[in-house]
Amino acid sequence: KQEVTQIPAALSVPEGENLVLNCSFTDSAIYNLQWFRQDPGKGLTSLLLIQSSQREQTSGRLNASLDKSSGRSTLYIAASQPGDSATYLCAVSSGMNTGFQKLVFGTGTRLLVSP
Amino acid sequence: DTAVSQTPKYLVTQMGNDKSIKCEQNLGHDTMYWYKQDSKKFLKIMFSYNNKELIINETVPNRFSPKSPDKAHLNLHINSLELGDSAVYFCASSQELHRVYGYTFGSGTRLTVV
């Protein structure tokens, strides 16, 4: 059974700092890994998608890496801004014995960037 | 041009009532999902439909009955609502046959049972 864990659970940093969010998963047989952002009371916004064959993806100040063999992913945020404050969710797409895939979410990291 | 849209956005109802949440996607995806986010903000899959056929049912009480009239729509009907059903319900879609693409989520329906 796939389990996804994110650390830290919460993180508070001053504006301008670079930071790393961690995600680990127990079953390395994944199709892809997706990082989402969720603002309070809002839906999920997809940030980055890494295929199982890829090592990293970049979008603006965000960089996500994937080490499938060790079951780890990191989300690096450069030069953090107050607008980055949100909950960040890691999710892995795994296959099931039916042949279909299922997205399993981590517990989330709540980020607060102070001005 | 919303990709995955859910209605209603908020739903407040009394215990014992029956309610429905609707979801539509215009991405041409063949698979749709319902996820539940509990009070601790943990997201867990409930159901998944691929081309109108049920492919995932994660031991959800049978008071919850999903219906997919076509591959662009997945509705969730809940009978005899209980206090513990209060949560945010998210609809999502993906393209099962081409797993290089990720999932797209709706904005959620906040259900409050009083």
Side-chain angles (χ1 to χ4, degrees):
Chain A
K1 178 186 173 187
Q2 179 74 272
E3 292 184 2
V4 183
T5 305
Q6 291 183 246
I7 53 172
L11 183 61
S12 183
V13 300
E15 182 177 5
E17 272 202 11
N18 302 324
L19 56 99
V20 175
L21 308 181
N22 296 290
C23 172
S24 61
F25 45 96
T26 54
D27 185 352
S28 62
I30 65 171
Y31 293 115
N32 54 55
L33 183 145
Q34 202 164 354
W35 281 93
F36 293 89
R37 167 185 173 142
Q38 185 175 27
D39 293 282
K42 304 287 185 184
L44 279 71
T45 301
S46 180
L47 298 173
L48 289 165
L49 170 69
I50 311 177
Q51 301 301 327
S52 61
S53 58
Q54 296 176 325
R55 299 284 291 183
E56 65 176 344
Q57 281 288 331
T58 298
S59 175
R61 293 182 294 108
L62 305 180
N63 176 276
S65 68
L66 174 64
D67 184 343
K68 200 174 76 159
S69 60
S70 67
R72 295 179 187 278
S73 175
T74 61
L75 179 67
Y76 175 82
I77 302 177
S80 59
Q81 303 172 356
D84 295 331
S85 299
T87 296
Y88 290 80
L89 295 161
C90 166
V92 296
S93 178
S94 301
M96 302 181 296
N97 54 13
T98 58
F100 290 97
Q101 60 172 325
K102 182 171 75 171
L103 195 65
V104 179
F105 278 87
T107 44
T109 294
R110 194 169 62 253
L111 173 66
L112 176 64
V113 181
S114 51
Chain B
D1 60 346
T2 303
V4 179
S5 59
Q6 298 178 227
T7 55
K9 189 172 176 62
Y10 300 97
L11 186 53
V12 181
T13 187
Q14 290 186 326
M15 280 176 52
N17 283 350
D18 303 338
K19 290 292 179 186
S20 292
I21 307 172
K22 295 185 176 182
C23 179
E24 175 182 7
Q25 55 96 4
N26 62 5
L27 296 166
H29 288 168
D30 59 7
T31 308
M32 296 183 72
Y33 311 81
W34 279 110
Y35 278 80
K36 179 179 180 180
Q37 187 170 43
D38 59 25
S39 57
K40 295 183 179 178
K41 308 299 184 188
F42 185 63
L43 271 155
K44 188 174 179 185
I45 191 167
M46 299 173 66
F47 298 104
S48 174
Y49 272 73
N50 175 261
N51 285 317
K52 303 193 298 178
E53 289 193 23
L54 180 68
I55 57 172
I56 297 175
N57 182 342
E58 290 280 301
T59 59
V60 176
N62 57 16
R63 296 183 297 103
F64 290 78
S65 52
K67 283 188 172 51
S68 182
D70 56 62
K71 73 175 190 177
H73 295 83
L74 180 61
N75 304 322
L76 183 64
H77 188 76
I78 314 172
N79 290 327
S80 304
L81 278 156
E82 300 177 358
L83 293 177
D85 297 332
S86 296
V88 182
Y89 293 84
F90 285 97
C91 178
S93 71
S94 72
Q95 186 64 14
E96 175 67 22
L97 293 180
H98 300 284
R99 293 171 180 174
V100 296
Y101 304 115
Y103 288 61
T104 303
F105 280 77
S107 56
T109 295
R110 183 174 296 275
L111 171 65
T112 303
V113 182
V114 298

